[in-house]
Amino acid sequence: MPRGESLAVRHAQARDQAIHAHNGRLLKQARPAMKTPIRGRGAVSNPAHRFETFERIAERDDWARDTEEPAPPLTEVIEQPTRNALTRNDSPDIPFDRSVNPYQGCEHGCVYCYARPSHAYHGLSPGLDFETRIIARPEIAECLRAELARPGYRPAPVALGANTDPWQPVERRLGLTRQVLGVLAETRHPVTLVTKSSLVERDGDLLADMARDGLVHAAVSVCTLDTDLARRLEPRATSPARRLRTLERLSAAGIPCAVLVAPVIPGLTDADLERVMAAARDAGALSAGYVLLRLPHELKQVFHDWLEAHHPLAAGHVMSLLRQMRDGRENSPDFGLRQRGTGVFADLLARRVVVARGRLGLDRVLPPLVCDRFRPPAVGGQLSLF
């Protein structure tokens, strides 16, 4: 190596070492606040949403005493006027083109929820805000009734639970989902539902009545049978064992049911895949589906913060496996691939599901939903003469 080049290299190394030492001193002066679990909540952080122009960063100044604990965040319900009840989509990898969402945000607090980034559209964080500031739409049932009464409306299965769980804890008090189901039952409109809440059993009368006419499918979401892990992943959701009991009761009421193993988190919940499917089969499930963990937008940071707080030794391994199943990224939004991933590990996971379905008899297709029983609702409270 020429002498001049060697000196240049040594100068560059000395400069890098000086910068590193300087940054180290700064870090000692202002250390980032450690992310710690919050009792009863999933997210351990509340990052700025992607539409904000600035970000707040908490730092430790060592003034707080170890015995000081902040008050746990309470749940706030924000009522929002409703213009349209039906949300339309044309995604080619989703088996429905319309859905109804009585709530935005979800108190279940599932840290992995792909719907968290939707809170940014309301100017709220997809972190703690998503599970503590719930947006409710009190007029949604009446809006749905008006939309179904339009002369040009053509029925097709409507999805309940496409964004956030319609039977989350606040539903026990507000009953908006019950009202929506009442409109669908009255009009004999087909519906599909996904939930992880035993509260759905409250509406068993409506669902059983609709099932007799081939108007309803139900899916219960279970990602693990490990109670302790579930308590950290989804702190306010029904326990896995209780969900299986819900699946059993829905099936006994004549409602065609499936289990949704979602999300599958590589290195964390994937070992439970076959056990979940077997337990669901025993509870009456006819079919099974799965979704690989998705981390769109701010959810990347929310989930990574959770990993660092709850599973610091496994965090790197979990994210590495996920990137290997997402073409080197933490999320792949491509239609057809976003739910199952790509690569060797993703193909292996898909193969495990196929084998387990065949072995357990969960490879059946739920009976098609009926659309020809639909009858438009009365307009203005007056019954039609014909």
Side-chain angles (χ1 to χ4, degrees):
M1 179 182 295
R3 183 173 181 275
E5 186 175 347
S6 178
L7 287 173
V9 170
R10 288 200 293 271
H11 282 307
Q13 291 174 340
R15 180 198 60 205
D16 292 342
Q17 290 173 358
I19 292 174
H20 180 74
H22 175 69
N23 289 341
R25 287 193 296 271
L26 289 179
L27 287 173
K28 290 180 181 178
Q29 293 171 7
R31 291 172 290 173
M34 296 296 292
K35 303 294 192 303
T36 56
I38 302 172
R39 183 175 178 82
R41 299 296 179 183
V44 298
S45 58
N46 209 35
H49 60 79
R50 59 191 178 279
F51 304 119
E52 283 193 10
T53 56
F54 62 91
E55 182 177 2
R56 305 175 188 87
I57 300 177
E59 295 181 349
R60 288 181 55 186
D61 56 12
D62 292 330
W63 280 89
R65 298 179 181 177
D66 292 339
T67 57
E68 292 179 356
E69 292 186 6
L74 301 177
T75 300
E76 174 188 2
V77 176
I78 304 169
E79 292 190 355
Q80 183 185 72
T82 307
R83 295 182 179 178
N84 300 299
L86 291 171
T87 300
R88 304 278 182 164
N89 84 84
D90 56 2
S91 303
D93 58 349
I94 296 179
F96 57 85
D97 66 357
R98 65 201 73 181
S99 60
V100 176
N101 297 291
Y103 306 101
Q104 299 290 325
C106 185
E107 199 178 359
H108 281 161
C110 304
V111 72
Y112 50 69
C113 183
Y114 67 85
R116 282 182 176 271
S118 65
H119 239 41
Y121 295 113
H122 302 281
L124 300 171
S125 171
L128 278 172
D129 282 353
F130 178 80
E131 55 194 275
T132 59
R133 304 184 71 180
I134 311 301
I135 296 170
R137 306 169 71 189
E139 302 98 353
I140 193 165
E142 289 308 311
C143 286
L144 177 61
R145 183 184 297 277
E147 289 180 56
L148 298 185
R150 290 173 183 168
Y153 181 78
R154 296 294 179 267
V158 61
L160 267 175
N163 192 32
T164 56
D165 200 315
W167 285 275
Q168 60 176 287
V170 71
E171 165 64 14
R172 192 178 300 277
R173 175 166 56 91
L174 298 182
L176 302 183
T177 301
R178 172 81 182 186
Q179 295 174 29
V180 167
L181 271 181
V183 174
L184 297 175
E186 173 193 337
T187 58
R188 313 315 287 170
H189 193 291
V191 62
T192 65
L193 64 94
V194 180
T195 186
K196 58 185 62 173
S197 173
S198 61
L199 182 58
V200 68
E201 296 174 19
R202 177 202 63 186
D203 301 324
D205 56 335
L206 294 176
L207 295 173
D209 170 62
M210 297 177 75
R212 284 190 287 272
D213 284 343
L215 295 171
V216 62
H217 288 168
V220 176
S221 176
V222 185
C223 72
T224 181
L225 296 181
D226 184 329
T227 304
D228 291 334
L229 178 57
R231 189 179 295 113
R232 296 190 294 271
L233 277 171
E234 38 196 30
R236 297 198 176 196
T238 303
S239 72
R242 184 65 180 85
R243 266 176 259 177
L244 292 172
R245 180 62 175 158
T246 293
L247 180 58
E248 183 178 355
R249 289 178 175 175
L250 293 177
S251 298
I255 301 164
C257 292
V259 62
L260 184 60
V261 188
V264 176
I265 305 175
L268 204 59
T269 69
D270 56 329
D272 249 3
L273 177 68
E274 289 84 358
R275 289 193 292 272
V276 170
M277 293 174 68
R281 186 276 311 271
D282 294 343
L286 303 175
S287 181
Y290 81 102
V291 178
L292 178 65
L293 176 66
R294 296 170 53 194
L295 297 178
H297 302 299
E298 299 90 345
L299 185 53
K300 298 182 183 70
Q301 181 180 344
V302 173
F303 184 73
H304 189 268
D305 290 343
W306 179 91
L307 275 176
E308 291 290 345
H310 288 278
H311 298 274
L313 298 181
H317 180 59
V318 171
M319 297 308 298
S320 174
L321 288 174
L322 184 63
R323 293 186 191 102
Q324 292 177 68
M325 302 170 81
R326 295 290 190 190
D327 289 328
R329 298 173 291 175
E330 294 174 338
N331 186 59
S332 50
D334 302 327
F335 291 133
L337 298 176
R338 57 181 179 167
Q339 296 186 13
R340 67 178 300 272
T342 58
V344 174
F345 290 121
D347 292 344
L348 177 60
L349 179 62
R351 181 60 184 164
R352 286 173 59 191
V353 172
V354 170
V355 170
R357 278 175 177 160
R359 176 172 57 83
L360 297 169
L362 290 172
D363 51 358
R364 287 174 284 179
V365 177
L366 297 184
L369 294 174
V370 175
C371 295
D372 58 6
R373 294 181 181 273
F374 175 70
R375 55 194 187 207
V379 180
Q382 297 295 319
L383 299 177
S384 173
L385 294 176
F386 306 100

